[in-house]
Amino acid sequence: MLSVIHVTNGHALKIHRSSRTHFPAGVATMALHHLLLTPPHPFSFSPPLLPLLTPFSSSTHRSISLLTTTNPRPKLYSTALRPTHALLQTLDSGSVPSESALGDFSQWLRKNGAVGSSPPPVKPSFVPEGLGLVAQRDLPRNEVVVEVPKKLWIDADTVAASAIGRVCGGLKPWVAISLFLLREKAMGDASPWRPYLDILPRQTDSTIFWSEEELLEIQGTQLLSTTIGVKEYVKSEFDQVEDAIIVRYKDLFPSTITFLDFLWAFGILRSRAFPRLRGENLALIPLADLINHSDAITSGDPSWEIKGKGLFSRELIFSLRTPVPVKSGEQVYIQFDLSKSNAELALDYGFIESRSDRQAYTLTLEISESDPFYGDKLDIAESNGLGETAYFDIVLGGSLPPQMLPYLRLVALGGTDAFLLESIFRNSVWGHLELPVSRANEETICRVVRYACKSALSSYRTTIQEDEELINGGNLDRRLRIAVGVRAGEKKVLNQIEDIFRERELELDGLEYYQERRLKDLGLTGEQGEIIFWESR
């Protein structure tokens, strides 16, 4: 049974992680029912919320619901998300290619002009991560180590020039490229792209490839709901393209394509496409995409560029540089993205870092449509760069986002504080909301946020102490290490948020509120804050 938290005066403050969960707002009497506990649906499937393989900003990770159940081993997917596999018969194994496949790939690169000097600065090699780029000599910082000509890129132009180009017009770039990859893979030796396709992993440690049992380790996390939401999104896209393209044009596809094939292509694109080569510019860059990530690279400066070469610089090439000096025989690394949280790294690439600033949690706040002041509050929010729904990323050890408290106060505004919503205050109300409005309003937001944090914490299967014991004990496989790291990080951030608002609640009597500030501005309070009454003579 689904139920929500209602508020007697009609105001509602929503803090949710996917399904919309209502929390009480500034009222004296609140009817607290049950937290909405529904399966996660972190975003709808409309293009604006999942931009064609653009980097998943926190907005796509944000709205995450609580997944709780009395069943210790819940089914996390419908059977529709687990169809029989066709092309990738050994999806769960064989992620590292054979030596002969790597040799064929290297020969293919030389044949197509992706290897310049002899010997080249780097070569594709087996490394702990699988495949990587290893220096063949000492390399200084900013040394160009890879140049890949446009003819070796796999992008929308590649698809358009292929046999399926005529049926892929109008498709999202990532969908068209996914179909291209799967068709070429099914063609085997007949495909000119076979040497590249053969070195691609059959899966990564991204959570989209985890089994149900592995996903149980991230039960209650934002990462779990996002993962399921992403898979549902890919499934919906597959269903559309299966009917419109795959079945309709069977003659163009030499092998059956299933959802898991399509998910594999999606995961390859998510993990290998460089920033700014996503969305409409989505492209895979063979050889360059073997570069691995290192948390030791702390510079956010891009290590690559697209530039012109040849006569009149008409030939486009992808150029990759070393961000730091590299010794001969060592692997060349870059920084994938300093702004990503551990949950985003786990979803996109299948790894996490131990740095505290990678541990984050997102609170989603919303102005309820049932709020009698909905229109006024929405107008104020939009005037200040926000909207009906606002997302706030809180990082472990960091402070609250600057607009979070004003937005919370706005959403909870009601009762005798509602005068601030009058049009006369419209140009100054946000300034007032940046400071405490009233004790009732401030107390409400403190209690609501603390309640939300405690509710979220109750949905995890383990405690922070248990997680840290697992981490310190070592011997965790890669996926379990990711799961424990992410869930421990989320819980630490939730505790941090709860602590902030608990301390604030203890300080309520010492805060200065709007009425006191107004009286002071009018000169109607004394040095000790007492109200001065003027008597006529």
Side-chain angles (χ1 to χ4, degrees):
M1 177 180 295
L2 303 182
S3 54
V4 297
I5 296 175
H6 295 291
V7 183
T8 56
N9 72 347
H11 304 308
L13 172 59
K14 300 181 180 181
I15 300 181
H16 59 90
R17 296 194 292 169
S18 174
S19 304
R20 299 192 170 177
T21 304
H22 300 247
F23 287 89
V27 291
T29 304
M30 293 178 263
L32 298 183
H33 300 304
H34 299 288
L35 188 65
L36 185 62
L37 301 176
T38 61
H41 295 283
F43 47 81
S44 70
F45 299 141
S46 58
L49 288 178
L50 190 63
L52 318 177
L53 274 169
T54 52
F56 280 108
S57 65
S58 46
S59 63
T60 53
H61 287 257
R62 283 167 169 154
S63 307
I64 312 299
S65 85
L66 302 173
L67 175 64
T68 61
T69 177
T70 55
N71 181 356
R73 298 177 64 83
K75 288 292 183 182
L76 300 178
Y77 314 113
S78 68
T79 54
L81 292 182
R82 295 182 284 111
T84 303
H85 205 265
L87 290 181
L88 308 177
Q89 296 293 336
T90 56
L91 185 66
D92 294 328
S93 62
S95 290
V96 178
S98 65
E99 289 190 18
S100 62
L102 185 57
D104 290 344
F105 176 62
S106 298
Q107 184 177 355
W108 179 77
L109 292 171
R110 288 191 294 270
K111 180 180 177 181
N112 287 281
V115 178
S117 60
S118 183
V122 297
K123 67 176 181 178
S125 302
F126 295 103
V127 295
E129 296 89 344
L131 288 179
L133 299 179
V134 174
Q136 299 206 77
R137 55 178 170 79
D138 289 351
L139 302 172
R141 180 177 178 272
N142 278 332
E143 171 93 359
V144 174
V145 293
V146 169
E147 289 188 335
V148 183
K150 176 69 163 62
K151 67 179 182 179
L152 285 186
W153 304 3
I154 298 179
D155 59 8
D157 292 338
T158 311
V159 179
S162 73
I164 64 171
R166 62 183 177 85
V167 302
C168 290
L171 294 179
K172 298 178 179 69
W174 80 262
V175 173
I177 295 174
S178 294
L179 290 177
F180 175 84
L181 290 175
L182 293 170
R183 180 180 187 274
E184 295 297 317
K185 192 170 185 65
M187 289 174 62
D189 291 342
S191 170
W193 298 93
R194 182 194 61 79
Y196 172 62
L197 297 173
D198 283 352
I199 62 99
L200 294 178
R202 297 187 186 278
Q203 64 173 238
T204 69
D205 284 320
S206 164
T207 51
I208 66 172
F209 296 120
W210 288 19
S211 67
E212 290 187 6
E213 187 167 352
E214 288 169 332
L215 286 173
L216 284 174
E217 297 295 342
I218 54 171
Q219 183 174 327
T221 66
Q222 294 189 326
L223 175 58
L224 173 62
S225 333
T226 305
T227 299
I228 295 176
V230 167
K231 294 186 74 168
E232 290 177 342
Y233 167 75
V234 176
K235 181 64 166 62
S236 73
E237 291 292 328
F238 173 72
D239 289 342
Q240 295 178 45
V241 80
E242 183 181 33
D243 293 336
I245 305 293
I246 300 172
V247 174
R248 185 177 179 184
Y249 300 100
K250 289 182 179 179
D251 57 309
L252 293 177
F253 298 94
S255 178
T256 301
I257 295 177
T258 70
F259 166 65
L260 284 186
D261 299 321
F262 198 65
L263 182 66
W264 169 82
F266 175 88
I268 288 296
L269 294 172
R270 279 301 311 160
S271 64
R272 304 182 86 84
F274 287 81
R276 302 203 316 273
L277 288 183
R278 297 186 175 185
E280 295 296 327
N281 299 317
L282 179 63
L284 287 178
I285 313 294
L287 181 61
D289 64 1
L290 295 184
I291 194 78
N292 287 313
H293 165 92
S294 172
D295 57 4
I297 309 296
T298 56
S299 171
D301 296 335
S303 301
W304 60 271
E305 63 179 334
I306 294 174
K307 59 185 182 182
K309 192 175 183 179
L311 186 63
F312 304 117
S313 298
R314 290 179 178 174
E315 180 187 0
L316 290 180
I317 63 169
F318 180 96
S319 178
L320 182 68
R321 303 186 305 275
T322 53
V324 295
V326 182
K327 295 291 186 181
S328 177
E330 294 181 350
Q331 190 176 172
V332 178
Y333 291 101
I334 63 171
Q335 168 62 238
F336 282 3
D337 194 331
L338 285 170
S339 65
K340 286 185 182 292
S341 68
N342 270 339
E344 291 171 306
L345 293 176
L347 181 72
D348 289 350
Y349 308 114
F351 66 80
I352 61 172
E353 293 183 3
S354 58
R355 286 171 27 192
S356 62
D357 59 355
R358 293 286 196 184
Q359 297 174 339
Y361 197 92
T362 301
L363 291 183
T364 302
L365 313 180
E366 186 174 277
I367 303 170
S368 171
E369 292 183 5
S370 64
D371 191 318
F373 304 109
Y374 171 79
D376 291 324
K377 291 182 178 182
L378 180 59
D379 182 46
I380 292 168
E382 290 178 341
S383 297
N384 290 276
L386 298 169
E388 178 184 5
T389 303
Y391 309 101
F392 299 98
D393 299 324
I394 295 97
V395 175
L396 185 63
S399 57
L400 297 177
Q403 290 187 303
M404 180 175 162
L405 282 175
Y407 193 89
L408 274 167
R409 293 177 182 128
L410 173 67
V411 176
L413 207 62
T416 57
D417 297 325
F419 71 92
L420 286 172
L421 298 172
E422 298 292 338
S423 58
I424 191 174
F425 289 100
R426 194 54 46 94
N427 294 328
S428 60
V429 63
W430 198 258
H432 295 310
L433 292 171
E434 289 177 340
L435 298 170
V437 173
S438 68
R439 195 186 193 285
N441 180 275
E442 203 73 8
E443 184 176 22
T444 293
I445 66 174
C446 288
R447 291 184 176 180
V448 165
V449 173
R450 291 186 63 194
Y451 177 84
C453 291
K454 290 177 180 178
S455 297
L457 285 165
S458 69
S459 68
Y460 296 95
R461 304 172 72 214
T462 58
T463 65
I464 293 178
Q465 181 179 355
E466 289 170 337
D467 291 338
E468 290 182 338
E469 287 175 355
L470 285 172
I471 294 172
N472 295 333
N475 298 322
L476 301 179
D477 65 38
R478 292 192 305 273
R479 293 185 178 182
L480 183 55
R481 187 164 60 249
I482 291 170
V484 176
V486 168
R487 72 194 189 203
E490 285 192 9
K491 283 177 278 193
K492 288 177 182 177
V493 179
L494 282 167
N495 279 332
Q496 171 182 298
I497 299 170
E498 204 272 336
D499 287 344
I500 290 173
F501 283 89
R502 183 182 66 252
E503 291 176 6
R504 190 167 190 83
E505 194 171 8
L506 295 174
E507 298 169 352
L508 291 176
D509 290 337
L511 297 178
E512 184 178 70
Y513 300 104
Y514 172 81
Q515 297 290 6
E516 296 167 322
R517 294 194 299 273
R518 183 59 178 158
L519 290 172
K520 184 182 292 185
D521 291 342
L522 295 174
L524 298 179
T525 57
E527 293 181 0
Q528 304 301 320
E530 73 278 10
I531 298 177
I532 299 175
F533 294 94
W534 296 91
E535 298 180 0
S536 56
R537 293 183 182 274

